[in-house]
Amino acid sequence: MPEILKAFSPCKIILFGEHAVVYGYPAIAMALDLGTEVILKESDKEGVNIISENYGISWNPNSYEKTPLIFKPFKRVLEIIAEKFPQKAHLLSCIEIKITTKAPPASGLGTSASTAVAFTAVLLNYLGIDFSQNLVNEIAYEAERVSHGNPSGIDNFIATYGGIIKFVRTKQGAHFERLDISENFPLLLVCTGVERRTKEAVEAVAKLRERAPDIVNRIFKMIGEISERAWTMFRENRIDLRVLGDLMNINHGLLSAIGVSSDVIEEVIYLLRENGAIGAKLTGAGIGGCVIGLFRNWEDVESAKRNIEKKFYCLTVKPQNQGVYVKTLM
Ligand code: MEV
């Protein structure tokens, strides 16, 4: 009976600290109950046939055609696995890998990281490698570097470990603390419909920092303090939604100050606030992507959603404590 494996890895939102995290300040990310599913099947076709359901295209690395852009991160994962486990690499043949992401693409929800993490985990499992979450995370980070240039790594950490994490990347390496989080976290996610481009947003912030280093560094420091303040609430399990909302609003203002908001993001922020959000901020790289709103309770989330979805695509999301996993389906 041919083997069928399924891997799943969650998408994420950044609650606090995006952009500042690239410069060594802490950020907080939360895994979501939506993410990427990767199904691996044995097949009679030569090589590794990768099918992207969302884009409706497929690619076989053994063919001689140029690697399409969206498959470059997968190519990197295959190369690393072949380098690390040369005795197993030949087994990566006659398989089909179907990838489906249940999140809007380029929405700043970490779809590239959840895809890289689930793809890496399913391959390691198929090869019979007794892998750790650390190994999956390490390989997926290399795929993220192909997608985004010089990412902090927060997206692949949260996609691997799930829950809620405080993440810091310094020159000495990445550190994180992880907690489980209660499902009762009344959030609404609103998509602006404008694609966010992480690499470009990060580069624009880097240029601004070159022009006004002392000011931008002070903004990053403040963003880092906001993340620390929020993390204390999560760690001590004393979450005051009102204070958390205030911190989100302040963090959003600071992101606006470094130029990663936009007219459509501001429109969504004010729509959320007019509809009862106690906190609203962009999440991820910004410029486009998604905005998150925090509410007092789920009734308020539902009533805001009814109004906002007349104009923007809305999603109610819950935290997901389980990180990446692989299951045998047959
Ligand atoms: C990406 O989800 C968040 C940014 O901080 C970039 C990064 O951390 O690599 C904008």
Side-chain angles (χ1 to χ4, degrees):
M1 183 69 78
E3 193 169 16
I4 305 183
L5 299 173
K6 174 182 129 174
F8 177 84
S9 164
C11 283
K12 63 90 192 31
I13 49 172
I14 296 196
L15 281 175
F16 299 101
E18 49 275 268
H19 287 289
V21 69
V22 175
Y23 298 89
Y25 295 94
I28 300 180
M30 188 176 93
L32 300 178
D33 60 345
L34 71 163
T36 303
E37 191 180 272
V38 175
I39 306 271
L40 182 152
K41 277 187 202 163
E42 288 169 354
S43 106
D44 42 21
K45 267 206 226 150
E46 259 305 298
V48 180
N49 300 285
I50 306 174
I51 304 160
S52 166
E53 290 267 282
N54 294 66
Y55 290 91
I57 50 171
S58 55
W59 175 66
N60 184 331
N62 301 62
S63 68
Y64 291 98
E65 64 191 80
K66 221 171 136 230
T67 314
L69 201 62
I70 71 150
F71 291 113
K72 286 198 169 163
F74 304 122
K75 183 167 183 253
R76 185 74 193 113
V77 169
L78 290 165
E79 280 165 6
I80 299 173
I81 291 180
E83 278 160 27
K84 281 192 186 287
F85 304 100
Q87 71 287 11
K88 300 263 190 182
H90 69 281
L91 298 172
L92 287 179
S93 186
C94 293
I95 52 173
E96 178 194 286
I97 301 178
K98 201 178 274 178
I99 299 163
T100 317
T101 299
K102 297 223 169 50
S107 54
L109 301 180
T111 49
S112 66
S114 78
T115 304
V117 166
F119 182 78
T120 304
V122 88
L123 287 176
L124 293 175
N125 187 301
Y126 179 70
L127 293 178
I129 294 161
D130 185 16
F131 63 93
S132 61
Q133 284 178 312
N134 280 352
L135 178 65
V136 173
N137 184 40
E138 189 192 308
I139 298 175
Y141 179 60
E142 293 307 315
E144 280 288 273
R145 279 160 54 95
V146 173
S147 304
H148 302 305
N150 185 25
S152 65
I154 188 167
D155 290 11
N156 44 281
F157 268 79
I158 191 70
T160 303
Y161 296 99
I164 184 165
I165 62 168
K166 182 180 90 168
F167 176 89
V168 186
R169 175 176 289 279
T170 61
K171 287 201 182 83
Q172 289 72 45
H175 306 274
F176 77 111
E177 287 173 41
R178 183 198 171 284
L179 295 167
D180 273 351
I181 175 161
S182 141
E183 280 216 335
N184 190 17
F185 202 71
L187 271 184
L188 182 65
L189 202 73
V190 185
C191 301
T192 61
V194 178
E195 238 186 76
R196 72 85 187 82
R197 290 199 181 83
T198 303
K199 197 162 179 254
E200 283 161 40
V202 169
E203 280 167 11
V205 171
K207 288 205 178 104
L208 177 69
R209 185 167 172 265
E210 270 166 34
R211 298 196 294 276
D214 42 351
I215 293 169
V216 174
N217 286 337
R218 262 182 276 160
I219 292 176
F220 287 156
K221 186 162 178 278
M222 254 193 281
I223 293 177
E225 283 167 15
I226 291 171
S227 297
E228 288 293 1
R229 186 78 63 91
W231 189 249
T232 305
M233 278 197 266
F234 287 114
R235 200 188 45 226
E236 295 176 355
N237 202 14
R238 278 191 300 108
I239 300 165
D240 180 334
L241 289 180
R242 181 79 248 183
V243 177
L244 214 54
D246 290 340
L247 294 175
M248 282 168 68
N249 289 331
I250 300 168
N251 193 160
H252 180 76
L254 295 169
L255 287 165
S256 237
I258 56 167
V260 293
S261 189
S262 68
D263 48 359
V264 62
I265 289 177
E266 292 305 316
E267 184 186 350
V268 174
I269 294 278
Y270 283 92
L271 258 180
L272 278 163
R273 291 181 187 153
E274 279 158 22
N275 280 280
I278 51 176
K281 70 177 274 294
L282 69 84
T283 184
I287 304 185
C290 286
V291 175
I292 45 174
L294 179 70
F295 291 80
R296 283 188 190 82
N297 52 53
W298 285 105
E299 290 80 65
D300 288 1
V301 172
E302 286 305 325
S303 100
K305 183 170 180 257
R306 277 193 296 276
N307 286 334
I308 299 173
E309 70 190 355
K310 290 178 193 146
K311 187 150 185 202
F312 294 99
Y313 180 63
C314 295
L315 274 169
T316 38
V317 285
K318 296 226 165 91
Q320 152 123 354
N321 286 316
Q322 186 168 21
V324 63
Y325 61 82
V326 186
K327 271 188 191 165
T328 305
L329 298 182
M330 229 197 305

